[in-house]
Amino acid sequence: MPQVMIELANVTKIYGRGEKRVVALDNVSLKINKGEIFGIIGLSGAGKSTLIRCMNKLEVPQAGTITIAGQEITKLKGKELRETRRKIGMIFQHFNLLSSRTVYGNIAFPLEIAGVKRSEIKERVLSLIELVGLSDKISAYPAELSGGQKQRVGIARALANNPEVLLCDEATSALDPETTKSILGLLQDVNQRFNLTIVLITHQMNVIKDICDTVAVIEDGRIVEQGPVVELFARPRTPTARRFMKSVLPTEVPAEIKERALKLDKNWPGKTVRISFIGEVAGEPVISSLIRKFQVDVNIIYANLDYIKNIPFGSLIIDLMGEGPKIEAAMQYLEDLGLKLEVLNGVEPTA
Amino acid sequence: MVWNLLLKALGETLYMVGFSLVLSAFFGIPLGIILVITEPRHIKPAPLIHKLLSTVINIGRSLPFIILLVAIIPFTRLVVGTSIGTTGAIVPLTVSAIPFVARVVESALLEIDRGVIEAAQAMGATTIQIITKVMIPEAVPGLILGLTMVAVSLIGYSAMAGAIGGGGLGDLSIRYGYQRFRGDIMFLTVVILVAIVQGLQSFGSWLAARLNRR
Ligand SMILES: Nc1ncnc2c1ncn2[C@@H]1O[C@H](COP(=O)(O)OP(=O)(O)OP(=O)(O)O)[C@@H](O)[C@H]1O
Ligand SMILES: [Mg+2]
C-alpha cells in the first residue's frame, strides 16, 4: 500500500462575492502518494494555481480539508503553520528570487529564517549549489542569471530545509524547451534521490508526459479525470484530456493518408486500418502473425512511436488486403490483442 | 564677514535638515511599512488601520507648512522646550516630513514583486522576517531615492522656518538679501542652496543605482 502524503477532501475555494464571485475550486478531492510526481494539468483559469496554493495555505479554502504528511494544514495557524511550511518547498513560474541577494544568499535565506546556525548554513548551501550545478555562479545576482539558472536556484532554495513535498507552479512555463528538459531532469533526480513527493502544475502536456507518474486533469475548478499518466494517454475520457494529448502526440492521421484512403476504389478488396497501441503488445510478432495466420497481405504505410515514461505509445496505419472474411478475422485478432482499430477507407469524410 | 554669515547659516540649515530628516525617517518608515502590510492582500491585512492611517497621512500632507508651523507651537514647546530658533524649527519640519516619508516608503515597498514576498511566506517566514529580510532589502534603491526627495524638500521648507527665527540659508537670504537689499548675499545663498540640492540629488541617484541589483 503506498503511503498517502497529501490528501485533499472536498476542497472548495471561492474568490470574491456577488457579481465577482468565482468558484476557483469546486469540491476537489485528491490523494497524492509519497514519492510520486503528481501532475495537475488544466487550461488557463482552470484553478491550478489556486489548488497548489491551497496546499501550503497561501490561499485559504472556504471548505474542505488538506492534510500533508499527517498534518491538517487547513487547521494550522501562526508558528505551527510556519514550521509546517518549512517542510513544503515551492518553486514558481517567475522564480521569485530575492534580487538583492546572490545565489548563495538566496539559498541561505530559508535556512536563516529557520534559525539554522551560520556554519551549518554554509555547508548546506554549498552542497545544494553543487546539486543544482551552479558552483560557478555562487556570487552572481539573479539579474545575471538565465531563466534556467534562476529556476535551479529556486529549486535549491526550495530543498534547503529538507522538505517532504515540493510544489511546482508552472515551474517550466517561462523556459525554452531545452531548458525545460534540463529542469525536469533535475526534478526527476531530486525526486528519486530524496524520495521527494512532487506536485507539478502545468498547462504543458509534455511536462506531464516526461516526468509525471500520476496526473489529474482540472477544468473549471473540478478534477475531471485522474489516474496513472499511461492510463490517461491510453484512454482519455474527457474532451479536455484528449485535447491535451493531441498536443504532444501525433494522433491525427496525416492528411495525405486520409486523402489516399478516401480515394481508394469502393470495390478495392482491402481495408486501410489505423492501429493505436500503448505498451508492448503481448510479446507477439503481430504483423507476421497476420500474414501467417490469416493469409492477408499487409502494407505498412505510416507509423509513429513515442514513449511515456519508457512505455511505447503510437499508431500504425496499414493496408490489409485479401478475402473479406480473412480481413475480418485478422481485425478481430488485432482487437483481441487489445489494440484500438479504426478503418479509414470507405467511410464518409467527416467535417 | 559675509562668509561668516553664510557659514553660520549653512550650518543651521544642515542642522535643521539633518535632524528632521533622521527623525522623520525614524517615525515615517514604520508608518509606511504599516501602510503597506495592512493593505487588503498583503501580509497583514487590516482595512480599518489602513484606512485610518491613510486618512491621517493625507491630512498631514495637505496642511500648508506655514500653517502647521504655527499650529503646533504648543506641541513644539512641549517637546524641545522652545518654539523658536533652529531647534524649535526641527519639530515642525519633522512633523511635516513624517507623512511625506510614509508615502515615499509606501510607494517604494509597493514596487517589490509580490511573488518574492509570497515565496518568503511559503518558506515559513514571520511578518518581521519578511519586513526586515525581504521588503526593506529589496526596496533599498527606491527608499534611497524617496528619502533624497524628502531631504530636498526639507531644504525648501527649512527656508520658511526662518519665519520663527530658525535661521539658516533661506532666512539669511530674506533678511539680508530682501530686507537690506544685499543682492550679493541673496545671490550667494541661492548658489549654495542650488549646489546642496544638486549634490544631494546626484549622491542619492548614484547610491540608488549602485545598490540596485535588478
Ligand atoms: N486573487 C484572486 N481574486 C479573484 N479571483 C481570482 C484570484 N485568483 C484567481 N482567481 C480566479 O480563479 C480562477 C482560477 O485561477 P487560477 O489562477 O487558479 O487559474 P490557473 O489554472 O492557475 O490559470 P493559469 O494557467 O492562467 O495560471 C480564475 O477564474 C481566476 O480569475
Ligand atoms: Mg496559474
Side-chain angles (χ1 to χ4, degrees):
Chain A
M1 236 345 240
Q3 193 185 335
V4 174
M5 178 56 92
I6 304 174
E7 181 164 1
L8 277 75
N10 311 104
V11 173
T12 296
K13 170 76 192 178
I14 297 163
Y15 291 111
R17 54 184 66 196
E19 283 201 353
K20 286 193 193 153
R21 189 182 135 106
V22 179
V23 182
L25 294 178
D26 187 1
N27 205 20
V28 169
S29 297
L30 272 184
K31 273 192 186 133
I32 299 173
N33 292 329
K34 184 174 168 65
E36 78 174 333
I37 303 185
F38 192 101
I40 297 169
I41 189 164
L43 297 171
S44 186
K48 306 181 296 291
S49 296
T50 306
L51 180 60
I52 205 163
R53 291 160 54 81
C54 281
M55 292 185 189
N56 58 2
K57 219 180 170 185
L58 282 178
E59 298 290 352
V60 185
Q62 275 82 1
T65 56
I66 298 171
T67 313
I68 296 197
Q71 285 259 37
E72 197 178 317
I73 194 149
T74 27
K75 271 206 185 128
L76 299 181
K77 277 207 233 84
K79 195 168 187 304
E80 279 182 319
L81 176 62
R82 288 195 301 273
E83 267 160 22
T84 303
R85 277 177 171 170
R86 284 179 200 151
K87 290 287 159 201
I88 307 171
M90 190 170 197
I91 58 175
F92 307 85
Q93 178 174 3
H94 299 294
F95 324 116
N96 296 348
L97 302 178
L98 285 148
S99 64
S100 56
R101 287 181 176 228
T102 60
V103 168
Y104 182 98
N106 267 287
I107 303 173
F109 181 74
L111 297 162
E112 278 175 33
I113 277 177
V116 177
K117 271 192 285 172
R118 220 164 238 283
S119 55
E120 274 174 54
I121 290 182
K122 185 163 184 198
E123 198 178 314
R124 181 96 188 104
V125 173
L126 292 179
S127 84
L128 284 161
I129 288 182
E130 192 165 329
L131 175 77
V132 299
L134 284 178
S135 300
D136 55 332
K137 295 282 181 196
I138 190 162
S139 318
Y141 285 91
E144 301 157 8
L145 302 176
S146 71
Q149 290 168 335
K150 283 184 205 166
Q151 198 56 291
R152 285 170 182 274
V153 178
I155 292 172
R157 178 176 75 171
L159 295 178
N161 280 314
N162 291 312
E164 300 202 55
V165 173
L166 181 63
L167 306 177
C168 315
D169 189 359
E170 304 266 8
T172 58
S173 299
L175 306 173
D176 63 54
E178 262 321 291
T179 316
T180 295
K181 275 226 173 326
S182 83
I183 292 294
L184 293 179
L186 178 60
L187 289 176
Q188 217 164 10
D189 179 39
V190 297
N191 161 255
Q192 279 155 16
R193 215 186 270 238
F194 310 118
N195 193 26
L196 185 69
T197 309
I198 299 183
V199 184
L200 204 145
I201 295 278
T202 186
H203 62 261
Q204 299 168 309
M205 196 63 188
N206 60 329
V207 170
I208 301 282
K209 180 186 124 205
D210 286 349
I211 68 165
C212 293
D213 303 302
T214 312
V215 60
V217 180
I218 184 169
E219 196 179 342
D220 287 333
R222 271 184 286 253
I223 303 287
V224 292
E225 199 161 332
Q226 89 174 281
V229 172
V230 183
E231 279 289 307
L232 181 87
F233 274 86
R235 279 171 279 280
R237 277 171 284 130
T238 58
T240 316
R242 245 168 273 158
R243 192 137 45 102
F244 278 123
M245 258 187 50
K246 275 190 193 151
S247 68
V248 285
L249 296 168
T251 49
E252 284 289 314
V253 178
E256 290 81 359
I257 292 175
K258 258 191 206 159
E259 248 173 63
R260 175 189 170 279
L262 292 173
K263 274 190 201 145
L264 288 173
D265 193 331
K266 280 220 167 55
N267 302 319
W268 178 65
K271 283 203 154 90
T272 302
V273 180
R274 176 161 74 152
I275 307 168
S276 306
F277 62 93
I278 181 155
E280 306 288 350
V281 180
E284 284 199 46
V286 178
I287 302 293
S288 58
S289 298
L290 281 182
I291 302 170
R292 239 182 325 111
K293 286 192 192 159
F294 304 98
Q295 288 109 46
V296 289
D297 286 327
V298 178
N299 183 20
I300 297 176
I301 51 182
Y302 173 86
N304 73 58
L305 180 69
D306 202 344
Y307 284 87
I308 313 150
K309 298 222 106 192
N310 309 321
I311 293 163
F313 181 106
S315 66
L316 183 68
I317 298 175
I318 57 174
D319 279 347
L320 281 175
M321 286 163 295
E323 293 166 26
K326 288 190 172 153
I327 292 180
E328 292 300 321
M331 285 176 57
Q332 188 59 50
Y333 162 76
L334 292 172
E335 278 184 344
D336 290 346
L337 285 174
L339 299 169
K340 203 175 135 217
L341 300 192
E342 192 185 341
V343 178
L344 302 178
N345 65 322
V347 289
E348 289 302 310
T350 48
Chain B
M1 158 59 186
V2 171
W3 294 112
N4 281 346
L5 274 175
L6 282 171
L7 211 62
K8 180 164 170 284
L10 176 63
E12 286 163 350
T13 293
L14 293 181
Y15 171 75
M16 284 188 288
V17 171
F19 262 88
S20 48
L21 181 65
V22 170
L23 287 170
S24 61
F26 181 81
F27 293 106
I29 290 175
L31 289 178
I33 292 171
I34 294 170
L35 205 53
V36 170
I37 64 172
T38 54
E39 280 212 352
R41 287 187 58 83
H42 220 280
I43 55 176
K44 274 273 178 257
L48 222 65
I49 295 178
H50 183 81
K51 190 86 202 126
L52 192 76
L53 191 56
S54 184
T55 309
V56 171
I57 286 170
N58 284 345
I59 293 170
R61 293 270 282 135
S62 56
L63 275 184
F65 178 67
I66 201 81
I67 292 174
L68 182 102
L69 193 69
V70 183
I72 66 164
I73 283 178
F75 176 71
T76 306
R77 216 173 261 144
L78 190 76
V79 179
V80 290
T82 171
S83 64
I84 53 161
T86 320
T87 305
I90 288 175
V91 177
L93 281 175
T94 303
V95 169
S96 80
I98 288 173
F100 190 14
V101 172
R103 285 294 180 207
V104 154
V105 169
E106 180 194 29
S107 77
L109 294 181
L110 285 177
E111 285 272 299
I112 309 168
D113 186 359
R114 285 302 314 274
V116 180
I117 294 171
E118 209 152 66
Q121 277 180 302
M123 284 182 253
T126 62
T127 304
I128 296 293
Q129 284 171 329
I130 292 175
I131 294 168
T132 58
K133 284 177 176 284
V134 179
M135 293 172 60
I136 293 176
E138 287 290 292
V140 159
L143 288 174
I144 290 174
L145 286 178
L147 289 178
T148 305
M149 206 154 81
V150 174
V152 168
S153 77
L154 274 173
I155 291 172
Y157 285 137
S158 75
M160 280 190 248
I164 54 162
L169 288 166
D171 178 46
L172 181 73
S173 159
I174 300 272
R175 275 190 295 127
Y176 281 76
Y178 180 68
Q179 289 162 357
R180 300 189 197 173
F181 306 104
R182 286 288 300 267
D184 56 336
I185 290 187
M186 172 154 341
F187 179 73
L188 280 172
T189 54
V190 170
V191 168
I192 294 172
L193 282 170
V194 168
I196 295 176
V197 170
Q198 282 288 353
L200 202 61
Q201 188 61 57
S202 306
F203 176 72
S205 303
W206 171 81
L207 194 64
R210 241 210 84 150
L211 296 175
N212 192 354
R213 303 292 181 192
R214 266 187 265 187

